[in-house]
Amino acid sequence: MLSPKKMSKVLIVGNKERLEDTINALYDLKIIHIIDYNDKEEGFERGKPSKMSSIFSEYVLSLRALKDILHITSKESKSEIKDIEFSIEFKKRLESIENKVMEKRKKIDDIEVLLSDIEHISDVNDLVKMDLSPNVKEIMIDLVKSKDRLMQERNDLTEELHKINKEYRDFISTAEEFLSREIEKSETPLRLATTEHTYILEGWMQTDDVEKTKKTLERVTGGDAQIIEIEEEGLEDVPVYVETPEPFKPFETLVDMFSTPNYHEISPTLLISFTFPLFYGIMLGDLGYGLSLLLLVAYLRRRMKTVGWQSLLNILNYASIYTMIFGIVYGEFFGFEMYHDFFGISEIGGIHMPLVHRLEEIVPLLVASAAIGVVHITIGYIIGFINVLRNKGLKHAILEKVSWIGILYCLMGMVVFPDMIYPLLGGLAFFIVLMVMGEGALALIEIFTLISNVISYTRLLAIGLSSVGIAMAINKIVTDVLIPKGILGIILGVLMLVFGHTLNLALGIIASFLHSIRLQYVEFFTKFFKGGGIKFTPLGIRHKEV
């Protein structure tokens, strides 16, 4: 779940007459990441696409034009199209739909042109004054008077297109999906090296899948296709696949926005799936704002159907839950002190409420924010230690990562325990020597960066205080200034509450997101994460699905 799956480099060699069978089998398995042939080997050339490729491409262009005209959104199809349906019925059905749609679209376009010309004539009397022949003048006057009829005809045609959308959208989406995959299959030979009689496919697959692939190809090709595993040192260009549990997959988007993990390091996806919403909740931390964000996400989920939007909204869904939890901890509801103002209580079961009062406990919270930073940065160095240990050995891991952990805790120790400054200075000097041995003298500059990294976590408090401060100011103006002025004041107060808290919520959503992601990218990832990996994209799974 944290480290990339072990990959094996393979060559698949076989007779060109069975190439189509091999590609179909690999496409269905969805387990091989193809390395495109680079035309550098003498005696080999790129394969040629199947004869159907150009026909499929024409059909796809027609289908995508129909999707655009009919405003059909991309989504998973509810049905499948079979080869027999495609070969017998498809062409006639597509031409029939295309003729219907294009005929109505042309009529709408013609009407739009006429209406555009009519709009330039503000009054029929303007035509009467023009030096036009009686026949032309009469035609133009009739045209102007027909504006309402033309608009109604345009609306009728638009409604007919809408009915065509409802009737054929599943067929169009299904056919476009089917043909896009067929094009990918038919053009796969372009990625392979071939001779007159043979083909060679080079690629990567998970080591655990090699035996399964051998058995499948032996069955499908009658033993014609052979798989050869290649032993390579270095493994620099290995595609990366990390098996992330489904609930945490949205956070892969945040990691990939920074960089794809490389084959030799731990993926931070699981860690960021906890720390990102945690930091978000600490900053926004209001039960009312958390509930509002949760409802906003639920609303947008039904309208934003793309993979990117769904990932972002799932992330914000987690963030809203943490925001509500910290809202309960802080006792805040749209800036009001929830326990005191709404329930008139100061404790529950002998426990003082709220558990944390942000405006009254600024210094302890400031210290807590820095402490969170120290822990977060330490985790980053520990992961870095594991990465270096795996790739370079224990000595380098100690010099490059343990040294920084020692420097961090010696510096923090001098702040917390000033009486122990001399032993801590000795320890600091020792770890600095280790660090210089591992990374060179220029790394000394990074000590100041490390200090600023820790201080940077105080934004967890600062962003939250700014949000709660604005919320309380809005509430104060409404309750103390506007409401006492009577009915008009109450109306203005309600409007100000809605507008003010909506604006503050929008600012809080954006600020909490940006500052939380900044703590991951700048303060955390830089301690262990190099990235630069290649996303594992097996044949049969297109980039939009990856």
Side-chain angles (χ1 to χ4, degrees), residues 289 334 470-471 474-475 478 482 491-507:
Y289 288 167
F334 290 109
I470 293 171
I474 293 167
N475 297 339
V478 172
L482 294 178
I491 295 171
L492 291 174
V494 171
L495 292 175
M496 185 170 183
L497 283 174
V498 172
F499 176 77
H501 284 296
T502 300
L503 181 60
N504 193 35
L505 174 60
L507 292 172

Side-chain angles (χ1 to χ4, degrees), residues 333-401:
F333 188 87
F334 290 109
F336 290 101
E337 293 185 8
M338 183 168 59
Y339 300 107
H340 180 268
D341 294 344
F342 294 164
F343 304 113
I345 58 175
S346 58
E347 61 178 48
I348 298 177
I351 300 174
H352 185 269
M353 302 303 288
L355 296 173
V356 177
H357 197 297
R358 283 198 277 189
L359 292 177
E360 294 180 1
E361 301 174 71
I362 292 177
V363 174
L365 288 174
L366 208 57
V367 173
S369 298
I372 289 171
V374 171
V375 173
H376 197 218
I377 291 170
T378 302
I379 293 170
Y381 280 129
I382 291 171
I383 298 170
F385 174 85
I386 297 170
N387 289 338
V388 178
L389 179 65
R390 288 177 176 177
N391 299 310
K392 295 182 181 180
L394 181 60
K395 176 185 174 181
H396 286 279
I398 292 172
L399 294 178
E400 295 177 22
K401 299 301 175 183

